[in-house]
Amino acid sequence: MLKVQRLTKTYATAAGPLTVLNEVSFELGRGASLAIVGPSGSGKTTLLGLCAGLDRPSTGDVVLAGESIGEMSEDARARVRNAHVGFVFQNFQLVPTLTALENVLVPVELRGEGGPAAEAEAEALLGRVGLGERTDHYPIQLSGGEQQRVALARAFMNRPKILFCDEPTGNLDGATAQAMVELIFGLNHERGTTLVLVTHDPELARKCGRILRFKSGAVVADELTG
Amino acid sequence: MKFILRMAWRDSRASRRRLLLFSLSVVLGIAALVAIGSLGANLERAIDDQARGLLGADLIVTGRNAPGPEVEAHALALGAQLAKEKSFSSMALFPTAQNATRLVNVRALEGGFPFFGDFVTVPADAPAKFRAGGDVAILEETLLRQYRVQVGDTVKLGETRFTVIGSLQKLPGESSALAATVAPRALIPMDRLEATGLAERNVLVRHRLMLKLPETLDPLAVENEMRRKFRAERLGFDTVAERKRDLGRVLDNISGFLSLVGFVALFLGGIGIASAIHVYIRQKITTVAVLRCLGASAWQSFAVYLVQGFALGLFGAVCGAVLGVGVQAGLPNLFKDMLPFDVEFAIAWPAVARGMGAGLVICLLFTLLPLLAVRKVSPLVAIRSAFAENVGAGRDPWRIAVGLFIVAAVYGFAIWQTTRLRDGVGFASALLVSFLLLAALAKAVTWAARRWFPKQLPYVVRQGVANLYRPNNRTVLLLVSLGLGTFLMLTLFLTRTTLLREIEFTNGGGRPNLLFFDIQDDQIDGLKAASAAAGAPIIVHAPIITMRIAALKGRKVDDILRDQRGGAPAPAQGGPDAEAEDRKGPGGGQARLPGWTLRREYRSTYRGKLESSERVVRGEFVGQVAAGEAVVPISVEEGIFRDMGLQLGDEIEWDIQGVPMRTKVTSVRAVEWRRLEPNFFVVFPEGVLEGAPKFHVAAVRARDSEHSASVQRAIVEAFPSVTAIDLSLVLQTVDGIFTKVAFVIQFMALFTVLTGVIVLAGAVMTGRFQRIRETVLLRTLGATQRQLVQIQLVEYLILGFLAAFVGCLLSVGGNYLLAKYVFRITPSVSILLLAAGGLAVCAVTVVTGFLSGRGITNHPPLEILRQET
C-alpha cells in the first residue's frame, strides 16, 4: 500500500542545506498499522507529509496505492489524496465555516459526488463516532474531542485506502484520547484501512503493528509489536 | 463547479457581513459612474428630442454688421420666415429701486422668434404682449429679484422707459444660469430700439437673422449656399445640427470629466477591496490547506475565493447601480440652470451596464491581486503552521500581469472617458503619480516611525506609533485613500480661493474698479466732469479706434490666408471653417499664423506714455510722432507679437475704417490683462489717429459698492448709452459661475471622500479581526479600557493627521499647477482653509476608527475570544 524508497528531504537555510530526513525506506502492506515515534524535530511530521503527498521529496520516491507520487504535480497529488487518503490532524483542522455534516461531506463533494446518498453516509459516520445529534453544529460549538471525532468521520468518508494521523490525541485529555483511539482502531479494522500515525504517546504507538523510531531524520529502530 | 459554488457559499457564512462591507468600498464609485453615464445618456436624448428647440430656428445668421438686404432677399426667396435681433451690452436703470443701474444684455427682437421651442415667461402671456409692441420689456428673472421689480414697473434703457411685462425663464438655445450671471437679458421690441438712442452709439452690436425654412430645404445646404454667396459680408452661421454637435461635444467633455472624478472613487474602492481581501485570505490559509489535504486542486481552492470575490463585486455593482440611478434622478436639478434644454429622468440601461461593468472589472482585478496567493497555499500548512508565513511571498508572474492589467485598465478608462489620448494619459498618469507619491510617503512614514521610535514616550503612545509599522498595518491604505480624497476636495476649494483673490487683488492699491465704455467723442469731456462731480475722477482714459490688418510684412492678408489654406477661398469669419482654420497653422514652409490674428477687428488706442499696467520688454516705445509720418511706429503686446511671428521692425499696414496706414513695430509690451484697466494689443503714438472716428473707455475708482452705485447712477442718467462694468460685478460673476460648477464637481468628489471613509471603516473592521487577540491579551495582562482607547486614539490621530497633511500638501501643489498652467495667475493658499480641511479629515478618521472598532475594548476578554475564534 505504501512504499517509501530512500526518501530524503533537505531545506535551504541561511546556514546552508538542512537535511531533516535522510534516506528513509520502508514498506507497509494493506490493512497494516505503523506508528512513527521520536523526539521533536526528528523528522516524523516531515515523513508523514511526504508519505501523504503533501510535499515533494528532495530525493527518493513514495509509492502510494500503487502510484508513484514523488514526481507528481501538486494537483495530481491532490487527486491521489482525494482518492486514497484520509487525514486526522493534531489540531483537528475542521473548516470553521462548515457544519459537522458539511465538513464530513467535503471529500466526496470535491469529487462531485455529493447528494442524498452521500449525506446519509456522512450522517451514519457521524452516528458511528457518536455525533449523530450534532450534525448541524459548527466546530466552534463542539468540544475538542467532538471536533476530532468529526475529523475522523471526514477521514473515513471517502473510504480511504490509507489513513494518516498526526498526533491525533495530542490535544485531548486522557479519557477523550482513549475514546478517540478506540474509534480510530475500530474503524481501521472495520474498513481494512492502512494506518500511519505519528505520536509521542508510547501506549498509542504500541497499539500499532509496527513502530518506526526516529532520531535526527533517520530511522534508528524498526520494531514489530506482535 | 458545483463544489466550488457550494463551498464558496458555505465558506462565506461567517464573513458575509464583512464581505458586504468590503463591497461597499466600490459602491460609491460605481454609483458615480452610473449616475454620470445615465445623466449623459439622458442629456443626449434630450438634445435629440428638443433638437429644433436648441436653436429656436432652422438657421441663424450672425454678424457684427447687419446682414445686407440681399441676404434677407435671398432668404425670403427661399420661402423662409425671418426674425431679427440686435443685441449689445448697456446699462439698465431701475427707477423703482432708487435708480439703481446694472449692466444688461439688451436684445431688440423683431418677428416670430423663437420658431421652435418654448419661450417661457412669468406671466405666460408676456410673449404675446411683447409681440404686440409698445414700450414693453421682458427682463431676466434675476433682475426682477435683485431690484425687487414687479411686473408693471418700469426700467430705463437709454432714453426710453419700458414697462416690465414679465420675467424671462427660458429662451431656446440659451442657458439661463450663465446668461443671468454674466449679463442678464432685457428683451425689447426692435421698433422701440431707435428711441432709446443706444444702438447708433454702441459699437459692439451683434446682429442675428433667424430663419425658419420650408420643410423641403436642408438647413446645411442653405447655409453652404449663403456662405458662398455672401462671403464678403463676413457672416457666421449656426444650424441645429451644428448646435447639437457643439453641445454634444461640451456635454461629453463635462460628463467625461465627472466620470473621471467618479473613477477615482472606484479606484480607491478597488485599493480598499484589495487590502481587505488580502487580510481575509490570510485568515483562510488554513482552510485552504485543509481543502488541499482533502484533495482540492490549486484551481478549485482558488476558484472558491474567486467566486466570493466575484459575488462581492456583483453585489457592489448592483448596490452601486441602484444608488447611481437614485443620484441621477436628482442630478438634473443640479444642472438645470446650466442647460439650454429640459432634461427628464429616465434610467439609461446601457449606461447602468457600463458603470456596473467598469465596477465589476475593477473589483475583480483588485480582488485577484491578493487572491492569487491562494494558488500557492501548500497543504503542509495543515500540519505545520509555519508554512503559512510564506504564502504570497516570492515573485508571481500572474501578480505582475494583473498589476499591469490594472494600470492598462486605468489608462484605458481615462482615455475612453476623455476621448482624447493626451488628456486621458495625463489624467491616468496624474492619478498614478499621486497614488505612488502617497504610497511612497506612507512607506517613508512607516520607516521613520520604526527608525525614530519614541522610546521615551508613555506606553500608549509607543504602542500607537508601533501600530504604524507593525505587520498588517493600515498606514499605506489609509494614507492613499484619505490623502487622495483630501487632495481632490481641497484642490477645488483652493482653486476657488485663488481665482477670487486674484480678482480682489486687482481691486487694491488705488487701482480703478469701475470701467466705463461706449463713450462717444462728444461725451468724453462731459463724462469726465460728471464723474469728478460724483467724487470719482477719471484715473485712466483711452480713445479706441477700430481697424483691421490689410497687409503684414508687405503681403496682403487675403494672400497670406489663401496660402495657408493652400489656395482655397477664404472662410467666413466666425463660421466653422474659420474656426478650423484657426486651429490649423499656415503652410508653405513658413511658420503658420493663427487666422484670428489676421482677420480680427483690432480696437487700438494712441498714447503719449505707457500706463502702469504695461511695460516695454523689447525695443523702444515711441509716444509722439508728427502728423503725416509715412511709417508710424507702434507698440505690440508680447502675446500677439509671438502669435503673429513678428520681429522688431516688421511692417503692418492697417485699414482704419477705409483709410490705409503703414506702421512699423518698434516695441513689445508686457500687459497685465487681469487689471480692470483699458489695455490694448496695439498702441499707436499720439499725432496720427486723433482725427479718426473713435469712442472712449475710462476707468475710475469708487470707494465702495455704494459709491460705485451712485457714480454709475450719475453717469448713466447723464449719458444713457454709456456702459459700466463694476469690478464687484465681475467678482460676483466669477464666484457665481464657480459656485455652480464647483458644486457639481464637489458633489462628485464627495463620492471619493466617502469612499475613503468606507475604506477606512473597512480597514479598521479588518484590523479588528487582526488585532483582537492582542487587545484581549493586553486586557488579560491588566490594561485598562482607558489605555486601550488611548492607544487607538494615538494611532488614528497620527494616521488622520498624516493623511490630512499629505492631502493638504498635494492640494497646494495641485492648486499651484492649475493656477500657473491653466489660469496663468498667481496661486493663493488659504491657511485657514487648509487647517479646517485638515482638522475635518483628522476628525473623520478618528470618529470612523472608533465607531468601526467599538466593542473590542469594552468587553470581557473571554467573551470576545469566544466570539472571534
Side-chain angles (χ1 to χ4, degrees):
Chain A
M1 177 55 55
L2 178 67
K3 192 174 174 185
V4 174
Q5 296 167 318
R6 302 170 65 92
L7 207 58
T8 298
K9 182 70 184 178
T10 306
Y11 290 104
T13 69
L18 174 69
T19 301
V20 293
L21 209 61
N22 194 12
E23 299 263 339
V24 175
S25 301
F26 66 90
E27 281 187 44
L28 204 57
R30 184 184 298 270
S33 59
L34 172 73
I36 303 170
V37 297
S40 294
S42 59
K44 305 185 300 289
T45 304
T46 304
L47 176 64
L48 184 84
L50 289 170
C51 289
L54 300 183
D55 202 2
R56 240 186 220 158
S58 302
T59 60
D61 196 11
V62 174
V63 179
L64 182 65
E67 294 192 65
S68 171
I69 60 172
E71 293 301 314
M72 276 185 179
S73 71
E74 172 49 40
D75 279 349
R77 281 186 275 130
R79 185 183 45 73
V80 171
R81 287 197 295 272
N82 186 247
H84 306 304
V85 177
F87 282 102
V88 176
F89 304 98
Q90 180 180 0
N91 46 0
F92 327 135
Q93 299 291 28
L94 297 180
V95 179
T97 49
L98 304 185
T99 62
L101 182 66
E102 287 165 353
N103 261 293
V104 175
L105 279 168
V106 167
V108 287
E109 286 184 337
L110 266 170
R111 290 202 293 255
E113 294 172 3
E119 277 185 33
E121 189 177 346
E123 279 170 0
L125 266 171
L126 281 169
R128 173 71 181 78
V129 297
L131 293 173
E133 305 299 314
R134 312 288 296 274
T135 56
D136 289 339
H137 285 64
Y138 288 95
I140 196 173
Q141 296 165 317
L142 301 171
S143 69
E146 288 167 336
Q147 287 191 45
Q148 194 61 305
R149 280 188 274 161
V150 175
L152 190 62
R154 181 178 68 183
F156 279 100
M157 183 62 197
N158 61 340
R159 300 177 181 277
K161 292 194 171 92
I162 186 163
L163 177 67
F164 291 97
C165 301
D166 181 21
E167 301 275 11
T169 55
N171 279 353
L172 304 176
D173 64 66
T176 313
Q178 184 55 39
M180 189 65 206
V181 168
E182 279 167 17
L183 269 174
I184 290 174
F185 283 92
L187 277 164
N188 203 40
H189 286 130
E190 277 171 29
R191 298 180 179 230
T193 311
T194 304
L195 175 68
V196 178
L197 63 84
V198 167
T199 183
H200 282 293
D201 180 355
E203 284 295 313
L204 177 57
R206 271 196 292 275
K207 286 186 177 289
C208 295
R210 186 175 169 190
I211 302 174
L212 277 183
R213 294 192 188 277
F214 261 72
K215 195 173 179 186
S216 303
V219 179
V220 291
D222 187 347
E223 303 164 5
L224 293 174
T225 58
Chain B
M1 193 64 198
K2 203 170 163 188
F3 166 76
I4 291 166
L5 292 175
R6 192 180 285 164
M7 189 64 204
W9 174 248
R10 288 175 180 166
D11 183 70
S12 69
R13 269 181 198 139
S15 336
R16 278 180 204 146
R17 266 171 44 195
R18 236 188 325 160
L19 287 170
L20 291 187
L21 180 69
F22 297 166
S23 76
L24 285 185
S25 304
V26 288
V27 163
L28 289 176
I30 294 170
L33 290 182
V34 167
I36 294 302
S38 190
L39 177 74
N42 280 347
L43 292 180
E44 214 168 282
R45 206 183 46 141
I47 292 176
D48 280 341
D49 289 351
Q50 301 165 51
R52 283 177 123 187
L54 290 176
L55 202 59
D58 287 318
L59 177 63
I60 294 185
V61 185
T62 58
R64 281 287 169 206
N65 299 309
E70 60 278 19
V71 177
E72 277 186 44
H74 177 84
L76 288 170
L78 293 172
Q81 279 184 51
L82 302 186
K84 290 183 202 170
E85 182 192 88
K86 286 184 187 177
S87 67
F88 51 87
S89 296
S90 184
M91 301 304 284
L93 186 144
F94 299 93
T96 51
Q98 296 166 326
N99 286 347
T101 56
R102 168 73 151 99
L103 182 74
V104 295
N105 179 231
V106 177
R107 306 276 188 97
L109 267 172
E110 177 187 285
F113 183 80
F115 300 115
F116 315 106
D118 301 323
F119 181 3
V120 184
T121 58
V122 175
D125 64 348
K129 286 183 183 165
F130 182 84
R131 287 185 183 120
D135 290 334
V136 292
I138 296 174
L139 301 184
E140 194 85 59
E141 193 195 8
T142 52
L143 287 176
L144 271 73
R145 262 204 316 264
Q146 188 180 355
Y147 298 101
R148 297 175 190 280
V149 176
Q150 307 288 325
V151 170
D153 289 351
T154 56
V155 59
K156 194 175 170 208
L157 294 166
E159 304 291 349
T160 310
R161 281 174 182 262
F162 291 88
T163 303
V164 178
I165 55 168
S167 71
L168 180 59
Q169 308 287 317
K170 192 179 154 205
L171 195 60
E174 293 173 16
S175 139
S176 62
L178 293 181
T181 317
V182 179
R185 295 163 291 184
L187 273 49
I188 58 169
M190 181 77 85
D191 59 0
R192 315 311 291 178
L193 178 61
E194 199 181 342
T196 64
L198 292 174
E200 314 79 70
R201 288 179 168 267
N202 202 307
V203 290
L204 297 176
V205 178
R206 179 166 169 259
H207 298 262
R208 296 208 303 168
L209 182 66
M210 287 81 88
L211 278 65
K212 181 187 177 188
L213 297 169
E215 295 287 341
T216 49
L217 292 179
D218 172 20
L220 271 175
V222 174
E223 176 194 335
N224 287 335
E225 192 189 352
M226 290 179 79
R227 259 184 206 287
R228 208 170 41 247
K229 204 165 177 184
F230 305 110
R231 188 176 304 286
E233 296 222 24
R234 292 175 180 262
L235 300 171
F237 296 85
D238 204 357
T239 60
V240 172
E242 285 161 355
R243 180 64 66 95
K244 259 178 74 173
R245 192 188 56 206
D246 292 348
L247 258 177
R249 205 160 44 211
V250 170
L251 293 175
D252 275 354
N253 285 344
I254 293 174
S255 65
F257 171 73
L258 292 177
S259 294
L260 290 180
V261 178
F263 184 69
V264 175
L266 183 60
F267 182 75
L268 270 183
I271 294 169
I273 279 201
S275 160
I277 293 287
H278 174 74
V279 176
Y280 179 69
I281 286 303
R282 288 205 73 80
Q283 291 161 359
K284 294 289 181 185
I285 285 174
T286 311
T287 300
V288 174
V290 171
L291 289 178
R292 300 299 307 275
C293 277
L294 298 178
S297 66
W299 155 248
Q300 278 177 312
S301 13
F302 170 69
V304 166
Y305 294 98
L306 187 66
V307 165
Q308 289 186 359
F310 181 80
L312 175 154
L314 196 64
F315 180 79
V318 170
C319 289
V322 170
L323 182 64
V325 166
V327 169
Q328 195 264 313
L331 274 182
N333 286 330
L334 291 183
F335 284 96
K336 189 174 63 183
D337 287 351
M338 288 178 232
L339 299 173
F341 48 82
D342 298 325
V343 186
E344 279 178 22
F345 167 72
I347 298 176
W349 292 110
V352 173
R354 275 198 302 273
M356 284 177 71
L360 207 52
V361 167
I362 286 292
C363 194
L364 264 183
L365 284 175
F366 277 94
T367 308
L368 266 180
L369 269 184
L371 272 189
L372 287 169
V374 170
R375 292 156 41 250
K376 302 283 183 187
V377 174
S378 164
L380 275 178
V381 173
I383 51 175
R384 275 197 203 282
S385 57
F387 282 90
E389 294 305 314
N390 294 327
V391 172
R395 234 177 232 174
D396 181 353
W398 279 101
R399 276 174 71 86
I400 298 170
V402 170
L404 288 176
F405 205 78
I406 289 175
V407 172
V410 170
Y411 273 88
F413 185 87
I415 293 166
W416 174 40
Q417 287 300 324
T418 53
T419 65
R420 280 189 212 97
L421 185 70
R422 199 191 66 175
D423 294 355
V425 168
F427 173 83
S429 301
L431 182 65
L432 287 178
V433 166
S434 307
F435 170 74
L436 290 176
L437 206 63
L438 280 160
L441 276 166
K443 286 280 182 199
V445 164
T446 53
W447 178 82
R450 193 197 296 263
R451 175 76 180 72
W452 292 291
F453 186 70
K455 292 187 181 120
Q456 295 77 22
L457 293 177
Y459 172 75
V460 290
V461 179
R462 280 186 281 134
Q463 189 68 19
V465 173
N467 284 349
L468 295 175
Y469 62 78
R470 57 192 299 167
N472 296 319
N473 65 71
R474 296 163 274 187
T475 311
V476 174
L477 174 69
L478 291 189
L479 280 190
V480 168
S481 57
L482 287 174
L484 217 50
T486 311
F487 161 49
L488 280 179
M489 287 290 273
L490 282 180
T491 302
L492 287 168
F493 281 119
L494 282 181
T495 302
R496 179 172 179 272
T497 309
T498 295
L499 287 176
L500 294 181
R501 286 229 179 127
E502 179 67 14
I503 298 166
E504 281 163 2
F505 166 78
T506 62
N507 195 22
R511 294 197 180 94
N513 55 10
L514 185 57
L515 192 69
F516 293 108
F517 55 98
D518 289 340
I519 308 164
Q520 303 301 310
D521 237 359
D522 58 353
Q523 293 176 322
I524 185 68
D525 293 334
L527 187 129
K528 278 181 179 173
S531 180
I538 288 183
I539 301 173
V540 186
H541 152 234
I544 296 176
I545 300 97
T546 57
M547 56 185 71
R548 289 179 188 279
I549 295 178
L552 178 68
K553 301 180 200 176
R555 294 188 68 211
K556 297 278 180 210
V557 163
D558 287 346
D559 294 343
I560 299 173
L561 289 172
R562 193 181 309 116
D563 284 355
Q564 292 195 166
R565 282 191 309 276
Q573 189 176 22
D577 297 346
E579 284 170 20
E581 182 68 25
D582 283 353
R583 285 192 292 275
K584 279 191 292 185
Q590 292 181 333
R592 287 180 156 254
L593 305 180
W596 68 270
T597 61
L598 299 174
R599 279 192 300 269
R600 67 170 280 138
E601 184 180 71
Y602 283 79
R603 299 191 180 93
S604 306
T605 192
Y606 56 86
R607 289 180 175 156
K609 59 180 176 55
L610 295 180
E611 293 294 342
S612 61
S613 58
E614 54 193 354
R615 63 189 166 84
V616 170
V617 290
R618 286 175 69 185
E620 196 176 329
F621 179 73
V622 180
Q624 276 94 21
V625 290
E629 181 88 22
V631 182
V632 177
I634 57 168
S635 180
V636 178
E637 187 267 342
E638 60 180 348
I640 202 160
F641 180 85
R642 196 172 44 240
D643 286 347
M644 292 175 76
L646 292 170
Q647 296 295 327
L648 284 178
D650 280 349
E651 276 203 20
I652 303 175
E653 187 179 320
W654 299 91
D655 170 2
I656 303 172
Q657 295 161 56
V659 178
M661 179 176 287
R662 284 176 64 200
T663 61
K664 184 169 72 176
V665 181
T666 58
S667 70
V668 183
R669 287 164 305 123
V671 173
E672 273 189 73
W673 292 105
R674 59 191 173 144
R675 279 163 62 167
L676 192 68
E677 287 172 35
N679 283 310
F680 301 88
F681 280 134
V682 182
V683 173
F684 283 68
E686 289 176 350
V688 288
L689 290 176
E690 281 76 355
K694 57 183 176 295
F695 60 101
H696 300 260
V697 58
V700 305
R701 177 164 182 85
R703 287 188 301 277
D704 49 38
S705 57
E706 267 182 36
H707 185 212
S708 175
S710 73
V711 175
Q712 287 182 59
R713 213 160 30 234
I715 300 295
V716 173
E717 271 178 18
F719 307 99
S721 65
V722 170
T723 309
I725 289 185
D726 186 344
L727 188 66
S728 62
L729 191 69
V730 179
L731 260 174
Q732 208 179 318
T733 306
V734 172
D735 198 20
I737 293 172
F738 199 89
T739 303
K740 280 184 177 21
V741 176
F743 180 68
V744 177
I745 297 172
Q746 278 162 6
F747 184 75
M748 298 308 298
L750 193 67
F751 279 60
T752 309
V753 175
L754 283 179
T755 299
V757 171
I758 291 173
V759 169
L760 166 68
V764 176
M765 296 285 274
T766 312
R768 178 190 169 94
F769 296 96
Q770 285 174 359
R771 294 181 182 185
I772 200 138
R773 288 186 177 278
E774 176 196 289
T775 310
V776 164
L777 186 61
L778 287 174
R779 287 280 276 168
T780 313
L781 294 176
T784 62
Q785 191 181 337
R786 183 187 166 84
Q787 284 173 314
L788 295 174
V789 167
Q790 282 173 337
I791 291 171
Q792 284 188 20
L793 184 68
V794 169
E795 185 189 357
Y796 295 134
L797 264 181
I798 293 175
L799 282 174
F801 171 77
L802 286 173
F805 181 71
V806 174
C808 286
L809 275 188
L810 282 174
S811 69
V812 170
N815 177 50
Y816 173 82
L817 292 176
L818 279 176
K820 191 166 168 61
Y821 295 108
V822 178
F823 300 111
R824 293 172 191 274
I825 53 178
T826 316
S828 295
V829 173
S830 162
I831 299 295
L832 198 68
L833 182 68
L834 288 176
L839 273 178
V841 172
C842 268
V844 165
T845 311
V846 171
V847 170
T848 312
F850 273 112
L851 285 179
S852 318
R854 74 185 192 284
I856 295 180
T857 57
N858 57 1
H859 282 76
L862 193 60
E863 186 183 324
I864 294 176
L865 269 177
R866 289 195 73 84
Q867 278 175 6
E868 303 291 346
T869 48

